């Protein structure tokens, strides 16, 4: 009796089980396509799809981060160590963002972005210098060497640019990040308006501007 029942059910259940397994495979592939395999953060495309809604929150802030001296890490210690740095930065950034109702993405190379919620009365220096920057630069044991990753951070609070599109907020955060890098600061806030024209979302400026902004600078010692 039981054998007959199983024989009757199998032809009906098999297609359903097959479609369920197929759906799981597709879902896994979709997650892989949306996630950077090295850092576990979302990719640029997923971020630009999700962020426009997130930045509508009145306490939302857009961050853009770029690691300092990352090329030197790759050149000196090898790309395997560089990958460990990127993975660690991704984990640390994701944890910091999650605790502030946000999320992060790797835009490519050693550049990251995020959307978080910061209260209007938040102490931004406490949040970014002693919070995010300190978390990112915690010593990392990479096996053959111990490193302290450091980043320049630009921040644009959406309350300062009501109704601005994500592209404008990212451009403002990008400008602030390059200002922080040039001055050797941990982070800088975006101004009320964008200062430089941009090409493909990156600042263009006058001839030679890039050379000036990308020249290594002496960093201010952390207090």
């Amino acid at each position: 009796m039981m054998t007959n029942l199983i024989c009757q059910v199998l032809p009906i259940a098999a297609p359903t089980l097959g479609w369920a397994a197929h759906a799981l495979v597709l879902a896994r592939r979709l997650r892989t396509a949306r996630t950077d395999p090295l850092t576990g953060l979302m990719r640029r495309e997923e971020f630009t799809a999700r962020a426009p809604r997130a930045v509508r929150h009145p306490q939302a802030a857009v961050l853009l981060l770029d690691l300092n001296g990352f090329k030197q890490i790759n050149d000196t210690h090898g790309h395997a160590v560089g990958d460990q740095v990127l993975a660690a930065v991704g984990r640390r950034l994701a944890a910091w963002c999650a605790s502030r109702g946000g999320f992060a993405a790797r835009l490519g190379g050693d550049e990251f972005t995020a959307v978080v919620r910061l209260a209007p009365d938040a102490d931004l220096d406490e949040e970014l210098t002693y919070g995010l920057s300190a978390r990112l630069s915690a010593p990392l044991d990479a096996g053959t060497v111990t490193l302290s990753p450091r980043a320049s951070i630009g921040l644009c609070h959406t309350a300062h640019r009501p109704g601005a599109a994500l592209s404008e907020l990212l451009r403002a955060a990008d400008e602030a990040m390059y200002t922080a890098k040039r001055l050797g600061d941990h982070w800088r806030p975006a101004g009320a308006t964008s200062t430089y024209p941009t090409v493909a979302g990156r600042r263009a400026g006058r001839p030679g501007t890039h050379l000036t902004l990308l020249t290594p600078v002496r960093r201010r010692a952390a207090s």
Side-chain angles (χ1 to χ4, degrees):
M1 175 69 73
M2 181 62 70
T3 302
N4 290 338
L5 180 59
I6 293 175
C7 291
Q8 292 174 12
V9 171
L10 276 177
I12 299 174
T16 302
L17 292 173
W19 278 111
H22 182 61
L24 287 174
V25 171
L26 289 178
R28 189 176 295 112
R29 288 179 178 175
L30 185 59
R31 285 196 300 272
T32 300
R34 292 175 173 175
T35 305
D36 174 55
L38 182 59
T39 63
L41 300 178
M42 62 181 66
R43 294 179 186 266
R44 177 193 297 267
E45 294 78 12
E46 179 69 6
F47 179 82
T48 54
R50 183 176 172 184
R53 181 177 180 180
V55 299
R56 295 176 195 160
H57 193 279
Q59 295 181 5
V62 174
L63 282 73
L64 201 139
L65 302 80
D66 185 87
L67 298 186
N68 298 325
F70 183 70
K71 183 179 184 301
Q72 184 178 358
I73 291 176
N74 278 336
D75 292 345
T76 304
H77 305 290
H79 289 275
V81 171
D83 285 350
Q84 290 186 60
V85 170
L86 292 175
V89 168
R91 292 191 302 269
R92 295 169 179 181
L93 177 60
W96 185 85
C97 290
S99 67
R100 288 156 181 79
F103 52 88
R106 182 187 178 197
L107 295 179
D110 60 329
E111 189 172 64
F112 300 82
T113 188
V115 175
V116 296
R117 295 178 183 178
L118 298 174
D121 59 349
D123 184 336
L124 294 182
D125 205 44
E126 183 70 26
E127 289 279 2
L128 297 176
T129 300
Y130 304 105
L132 178 57
S133 185
R135 182 190 289 257
L136 295 179
S137 62
L140 169 65
D141 183 359
T144 58
V145 64
T146 299
L147 299 170
S148 295
R150 298 188 183 277
S152 296
I153 306 168
L155 176 142
C156 181
H157 207 297
T158 58
H160 299 159
R161 300 196 180 201
L166 176 63
S167 59
E168 180 181 342
L169 298 172
L170 282 170
R171 182 170 67 245
D174 183 60
E175 289 188 359
M177 181 270 290
Y178 270 110
T179 300
K181 189 177 290 287
R182 177 172 59 84
L183 297 177
D185 289 339
H186 296 284
W187 72 281
R188 295 291 294 181
T193 59
S194 294
T195 306
Y196 301 94
T198 60
V199 176
R202 304 310 303 265
R203 64 186 346 190
R206 299 181 298 276
T209 298
H210 275 294
L211 294 177
T212 300
L213 293 173
L214 295 181
T215 300
V217 297
R218 184 175 61 189
R219 298 185 184 88
R220 184 180 63 185
S223 56

